[in-house]
Amino acid sequence: MSGRAQLMWDEAVTGYDFGSGHPMDPVRLALTMRLVEAYELDRGPLEVVAAKPAGDSTLRLVHREDFISAVRRASADPAAADLSYGLGTADDPAFVGMHEASALIAGQSVGAAEAVWRGDAVHAVNFAGGLHHAMPGGAAGFCIYNDASLAVARLLELGAERVAYVDVDVHHGDGVQAAFWEDPRVLTISLHEHPRTLFPQTGWPEETGGEGAEGTAANVALPAGTGDEGWLRAFHAVVPELLGAFRPQVIVTQHGADTHFEDPLAHLAVSLDAQRAVAEACHDLAHEHADGRWVALGGGGYAVVDVVPRSWTHLTAIAAGRPIDPASMVPEAWRHEVFRRTRQLAPLRMTDGRTPHWRDFVADGYDPADRLDQAVLATRRAVFPAHGLLP
């Protein structure tokens, strides 16, 4: 297997644009790529590759044909958007070229999966991806086509027998869970803000997989306000043991940056430094359990200047084997680019100044009165026995 990492990038993914005022501003993608370039990560071990858009036969691995047709119609004429497919809503307004931009993003994630499975790269990143809310028959939550599900489905099509999907976006990875609800070959793990307080109001610990796939969905519903210590404690209390028991051949991860304390759409209080720590943990877990095969995707994240570019540049650097010192100064040229594009001041360093730490759930014990520990224990009790693990 090659030691190289691939970054899937085509500037045209910034055409995934719901319009002025929508939280998912494509500038977050452009600024991330410019920061990757400012750190010269696109040179050396990281190969930048543009994959072709996902064709209809690939999209049909997850999505219904009638939905794909509805997206095409709305893409050609936004006035023809069909609300019954989740198109033309406030979350997912129709725009000209919507199908093409969505299929291009999906193609990058599918291309990443192919590269990793075939050994062209040991790690592959598509930070434009991670659009995890789209369902087989409808758009939802800023997501038209579910590139994460398509990447997993393509891995299965290529012969993978066990794929693990780990989602640390602040929102539940509902679309991926739904796509593989009855497929025992896919383990989906999602850590997210509690469904009582955040869209999509799913991801309860009792959601553990369909008939014949019991225990292959794991959901950690975190209390609003959870910060670095609790978030890292929950991750390490659930993810490593489940991966060890499942023995995936490939790990696909989704790194929505909207867990951050500055994110305007959610209520967790996680720092950039903790996000970086989880990206490093995912890298290490891929090497421990999946011969290094790791597909890393972006996701949500609506602090489009302060948080998203730094978070996903750290992710890309870790995948490239060239991790960035959090204390390093952000390149001045990038800060000028931020001001030119947004008239906002860019952050000065690649850190929030935190040193994340956590207490181990098993080794250090848990507090039955603590809401975070209650959430972790609920997940372990619901899922661990199906894998022969003690809750």
Side-chain angles (χ1 to χ4, degrees):
M1 178 180 290
S2 168
R4 293 180 68 85
Q6 286 189 1
L7 173 61
M8 315 305 296
W9 178 255
D10 184 320
E11 203 74 29
V13 297
T14 59
Y16 191 82
D17 186 353
F18 291 115
S20 177
H22 193 282
M24 189 174 264
D25 187 335
V27 74
R28 69 197 195 120
L29 302 179
L31 290 178
T32 301
M33 190 62 195
R34 300 294 86 80
L35 188 55
V36 165
E37 292 166 345
Y39 274 103
E40 299 186 349
L41 295 174
D42 55 326
R43 305 178 189 179
L46 185 68
E47 182 183 11
V48 179
V49 177
K52 65 182 181 180
D56 282 12
S57 62
T58 297
L59 295 173
R60 286 198 300 268
L61 291 175
V62 168
H63 293 292
R64 295 201 319 250
E65 192 157 2
D66 59 313
F67 171 58
I68 299 168
S69 296
V71 174
R72 283 186 177 279
R73 290 193 298 272
S75 182
D77 178 9
D82 189 335
L83 291 172
S84 69
Y85 290 104
L87 302 171
T89 64
D91 275 1
D92 295 279
F95 60 92
V96 172
M98 179 171 64
H99 166 79
E100 290 76 13
S102 303
L104 183 62
I105 289 175
Q108 306 314 303
S109 293
V110 170
E114 292 172 344
V116 167
W117 182 254
R118 291 172 175 162
D120 298 333
V122 66
H123 310 320
V125 179
N126 176 27
F127 56 72
L131 304 178
H132 58 170
H133 294 307
M135 293 291 175
F142 311 165
C143 306
I144 307 300
Y145 295 139
N146 195 317
D147 65 282
S149 292
L150 289 163
V152 173
R154 180 62 175 141
L155 288 165
L156 298 176
E157 187 179 47
L158 290 170
E161 297 173 351
R162 293 179 309 282
V163 179
Y165 171 77
V166 180
D167 189 318
V168 297
D169 193 287
V170 78
H171 302 91
H172 177 225
D174 56 340
V176 186
Q177 176 179 288
F180 304 104
W181 183 248
E182 296 179 340
D183 193 333
R185 298 173 296 173
V186 181
L187 171 68
T188 63
I189 307 173
S190 179
L191 285 82
H192 47 267
E193 185 179 327
H194 200 287
R196 282 199 194 96
T197 53
L198 195 66
F199 175 89
Q201 283 79 52
T202 57
W204 298 79
E206 297 80 14
E207 298 170 32
T208 59
E211 185 176 352
E214 294 86 352
T216 60
N219 290 289
V220 188
L222 301 168
T226 296
D228 287 0
E229 182 176 356
W231 194 61
L232 293 169
R233 178 172 168 83
F235 179 92
H236 288 282
V238 172
V239 177
E241 284 184 78
L242 284 179
L243 293 181
F246 188 70
R247 298 180 299 111
Q249 295 162 297
V250 191
I251 296 176
V252 179
T253 57
Q254 196 269 22
H255 297 264
D258 43 9
T259 51
H260 196 272
F261 55 77
E262 286 187 18
D263 197 89
L265 300 189
H267 318 98
L268 294 191
V270 173
S271 72
L272 180 76
D273 303 286
Q275 292 176 344
R276 181 181 183 277
V278 160
E280 287 185 322
C282 289
H283 169 269
D284 294 346
L285 288 166
H287 281 278
E288 184 176 349
H289 298 295
D291 292 327
R293 295 188 189 94
W294 180 33
V295 176
L297 309 175
Y302 309 101
V304 299
V305 169
D306 281 354
V307 179
V308 174
R310 292 187 298 161
S311 185
W312 292 346
T313 298
H314 274 306
L315 174 68
T316 303
I318 290 164
R322 289 178 53 191
I324 296 168
D325 180 355
S328 70
M329 295 291 293
V330 172
E332 185 176 4
W334 183 77
R335 289 189 282 118
H336 288 310
E337 177 72 1
V338 167
F339 188 78
R340 185 185 71 80
R341 284 178 176 259
T342 69
R343 291 297 183 261
Q344 295 183 45
L345 296 178
L348 294 177
R349 294 186 182 272
M350 291 294 285
T351 178
D352 286 332
R354 309 285 177 88
T355 305
H357 64 277
W358 72 94
R359 293 177 301 111
D360 185 87
F361 189 83
V362 176
D364 297 335
Y366 63 90
D367 179 356
D370 181 82
R371 291 173 62 216
L372 187 281
D373 284 2
Q374 289 171 359
V376 169
L377 192 57
T379 303
R380 290 174 63 103
R381 284 174 171 164
V383 177
F384 274 37
H387 297 270
L389 299 170
L390 293 174

